[in-house]
Amino acid sequence: MRRRSNRVAVESSSVVAATRWLKLTVAYDGAAYAGWQWQPTEPTVQGVLQDAWRTITQEEPRLTASGRTDAGVHAEGQVVGVETASTIEPRRLLRGLNALLPDDVVIRAVDPAPAGFHATHDSLRKTYRYQLHTGPTPPLFDRRHVWHWRAGPLDAERMGQGGACFVGRHDFVSLESVGSERSSTVRTITDLTVTTRPVDGGERIDITVTGDGFLYNMVRTIAGTLVEVGRGSKPPEWVAEVLAARNRAKAGQTAPPQGLFLVRVEYS
């Protein structure tokens, strides 16, 4: 987590009684972090962002994220909400935060948000992408950003056929890992695509999925389940059986974290 060398002057704001809400769009390489959520003894994305915010504004921030990405998971468009009394303009906050953050975390935008904005509760849809690399040779430069599948080729067309079974409103309890209690395990998937292209002597396969919400490790289990279809051990229609079983043991493995990206979060 090397610090950037292009420093800018850190500004302090005058604190007034009125507050405002801001929406930060954040990208990060999660390889060096124990996830999004702050931990007292481990480096986290929330932790480094809070440190930078505290330095610039002299405030103790209360940040809400659209989702708590796990250790090793990445983001291209994580959304973070913050209520602040700082009067620093968004463009100066953007510049100042990026000067203080490690070079594997970048604030892409600082925008005004409606009063009471909550990045988690106000989100309408999220899009995730899971990335695989097939082939005998490990991908050197993408090694922290893909699941390197060594056990033979994967049929992306069959994976897409199986993935179509996930689209719609279903009970996804078969794809939820233990560790997060939810009042309901019903979610709506509006789109799921499987694309492929040749790269580095093998193939890059991307599973992109959009929905109104996701259970703990749901996208990684979708990937692990579709790999079973792609390798030929299960037919595409087996995916519907997994959903109907309502039993985690019937689905595929939880894919490794490094292939997962939070791509974007949509709001009204």
Side-chain angles (χ1 to χ4, degrees), residues 129-130 132 156 159-160 192-197 203-208:
R129 183 178 65 251
Y130 194 89
L132 297 107
M159 292 170 71
L192 190 152
T193 61
V194 180
T195 58
T196 182
R197 59 185 171 87
E203 272 194 324
R204 163 78 175 271
I205 298 176
D206 289 351
I207 302 167
T208 305

Side-chain angles (χ1 to χ4, degrees), residues 16-209:
V16 295
T19 61
R20 57 181 174 150
W21 279 261
L22 297 174
K23 181 177 75 170
L24 315 181
T25 303
V26 187
Y28 48 86
D29 182 328
Y33 297 96
W36 158 263
Q37 189 174 9
W38 181 86
Q39 297 182 35
T41 59
E42 299 289 340
T44 67
V45 180
Q46 183 179 14
V48 297
L49 183 53
Q50 286 180 166
D51 289 346
W53 187 274
R54 192 181 299 114
T55 298
I56 290 176
T57 68
Q58 310 303 306
E59 292 179 331
E60 192 61 43
R62 291 191 297 175
L63 307 177
T64 63
S66 66
R68 299 175 179 178
T69 52
D70 289 334
V73 175
H74 319 288
E76 295 177 356
Q78 171 73 280
V79 173
V80 177
V82 59
E83 181 184 6
T84 179
S86 169
T87 59
I88 301 176
E89 296 175 355
R91 64 183 179 83
R92 292 185 176 179
L93 278 172
L94 177 69
R95 184 182 178 196
L97 289 169
N98 280 329
L100 293 171
L101 286 167
D103 57 7
D104 50 8
V105 180
V106 173
I107 310 297
R108 288 185 161 173
V110 177
D111 297 303
F117 174 72
H118 195 288
T120 311
H121 301 154
D122 294 345
S123 67
L124 299 178
R125 286 172 299 277
K126 296 178 186 177
T127 297
Y128 286 89
R129 183 178 65 251
Y130 194 89
Q131 303 180 169
L132 297 107
H133 177 96
T134 66
T137 305
L140 176 61
F141 298 109
D142 280 343
R143 66 190 183 279
R144 299 190 303 180
H145 306 123
V146 297
W147 177 11
H148 179 209
W149 178 259
R150 298 174 174 84
L154 295 173
D155 188 326
E157 183 176 355
R158 283 170 54 90
M159 292 170 71
Q161 293 168 358
C165 297
F166 288 127
V167 177
R169 189 162 182 82
H170 305 288
D171 186 342
F172 284 95
V173 68
S174 290
L175 286 86
E176 180 183 37
S177 295
V178 174
S180 180
E181 294 294 329
R182 303 294 179 105
S183 59
S184 173
T185 51
V186 175
R187 299 290 186 273
T188 301
I189 299 300
T190 55
D191 189 59
L192 190 152
T193 61
V194 180
T195 58
T196 182
R197 59 185 171 87
V199 61
D200 293 339
E203 272 194 324
R204 163 78 175 271
I205 298 176
D206 289 351
I207 302 167
T208 305
V209 55

Side-chain angles (χ1 to χ4, degrees), residues 212-268:
D212 64 358
F214 294 88
L215 305 174
Y216 183 51
N217 281 341
M218 178 173 156
V219 179
R220 289 166 59 187
T221 309
I222 285 175
T225 299
L226 293 183
V227 161
E228 293 302 309
V229 175
R231 70 189 298 190
S233 64
K234 299 289 185 181
E237 55 269 23
W238 168 72
V239 172
E241 298 175 16
V242 168
L243 287 171
R246 302 186 73 253
N247 183 342
R248 175 64 186 86
K250 299 297 184 181
Q253 66 176 293
T254 301
Q258 71 271 12
L260 183 61
F261 285 74
L262 173 57
V263 177
R264 65 179 175 271
V265 186
E266 297 174 63
Y267 296 86
S268 59

